[in-house]
Amino acid sequence: MMAPRHISHSPYSYGPRRSPARRRALIATAGALALAGVGWTFLTSGPGVHGLSDGSVLDGRKAAQVTAYLDTEAAGGRDNVRATLDGAAIPVTAAGPRLKLALPRLTEGRHTLVVEGDSSIPFASYREVVGFTVDTTAPALKVVDPEVKNAGPVTIAGKAGTDAKVSVDGKVVSVDKSGAFTITVPRGTSVVKVTAVDRAGNTTTKAVSTRGRRPMIRAAHITAIGWGNDTLRGNILALVRSGKLNAVQLDVKDEDGEVGYASQVPLARQIGASKGYYDARKAVAEIHAAGAQVIGRIVAFRDPKLATAAWKAGKKDQVVLTPAGEPYAGGGHYGKLAFTNFADRTVRKYNQDLAVEAASLGFDDILYDYVRRPDGALSKMRFPGIGSATPEQSITSFVADTRTAMGSHPAYLGVSVFGIAATRPTEIAQDIAALVKVSDYIAPMVYPSHWGPGEYGVANPDTAPYAIVQRSLADFARQAKGTQTEIVPWLQDFSMGSTYGPAQVAEQIKAAAANKMNSFILWNAGARYQGAALQQIVAR
């Protein structure tokens, strides 16, 4: 850092007086910030810090970088200087040809710095006061989900902190005295980025969908390898062509961490996850030609491929750890190197990069699965990099960041969750009330065979598909009320304990409809579906 420019002494008591604003103004110099009049200097160690003047507002980074010095000769020596911060004395120490004010850690709120003393110049006493504020809190920003009902422009409305500047996709918008704002954007914009920046430079950003509600989808799951099987692929496409399904859920990244198509995401190629089982553009085109949309499922944090590669490379922070620093065994169900760390930046970006890539390849939806922490007690696992956030907050921010990363891509964003998440958000870190605010739809897995006896007052859920699905989905409907977010349940089309035929599948569909949920996704690991359970889709 360059040395500060010398600053002249304060005016003599009998000389021409300068205005308080002039005396207190900080003047930018090469690498330093100096207070005119006293020969003292505020130095900063990082770029982008523009000064400390009377009335300044500093964010946490700037506050941590400010140091204050006085010119020894101008100050009249250390013994002639008295300094206080908020009324408390500040030690003054020698620092070469200067005196350093030993500022304490600057906390949130308003502060007053006073420096006074007797100069070595006869009759030249001085007293300088600088009032400033430290603000480390991001500004409030609330944006209402826009109603999208016709082909006209979409109105974005919200409210920010009263001292914040608001922009929408980089365009500054007017904010009234209460912080309220409105702006219209053309229909088809997909997602807009609303940003609020306060006086200190703290920023809050929200990605807002302008597509409206996700139209009805009725889909069936198929794996990447399954798509290459003529019979399995043909049977699903036959259900589409017969009008019983209007979407296909095709895996992008599966439970083994394998990416089904030849991904160009660098990390996928580096760890050998890019498999090329199918041609993404060709598969999307074939499904579209049959009259259906394509849901790209990304198994996010259950990823043994990435976990193993990270562990071997010594990148342990990318893996969920035990308190002793060993890989967490995934609740005993999945193996030691099964779950990657949702709080790690590299892990988050990897999954978001895949989402963006799939959207650019033409997938109509990106549907996250295993977007959660592993099963088990929190006391037995560690998430390096999570900081002060809860697992629920970290998971929600990951989904929100994905929406922002997807930018102008028209794909919808869905989140698969456990059925228990509606009433037990901390069990696996899926907070539905928060997730509905950052996604286009929630896909709860309410398979009857996965509920324990007595859940929702149902003695044996596996043999009562209508009752357990209807009652559990009612809780999800309640959580999504008042938002534009749809509930698209995963329904069971497989036998596990009890035999499930067309009647049992149809009961689940009726139970969802009873909660005004006309969308669903069917799960069968082998991609063999019972068309007799499905009704033809009526145009809406």
Side-chain angles (χ1 to χ4, degrees), residues 359-382:
S360 69
L361 289 170
F363 284 80
D364 301 285
D365 294 45
I366 301 300
L367 177 58
Y368 278 135
D369 204 348
Y370 284 88
V371 58
R372 63 177 179 88
R373 71 169 178 86
D375 313 47
L378 271 176
S379 61
K380 296 182 179 180
M381 58 187 83
R382 277 199 306 117

Side-chain angles (χ1 to χ4, degrees), residues 146 152-157 168-169 171 173 181-187 189 192 210:
V154 178
T155 298
I156 306 296
V168 177
D169 281 349
K171 180 181 179 182
V173 301
F181 62 89
T182 60
I183 186 173
T184 58
V185 298
R187 180 71 183 273
T189 308
V192 297
T210 57

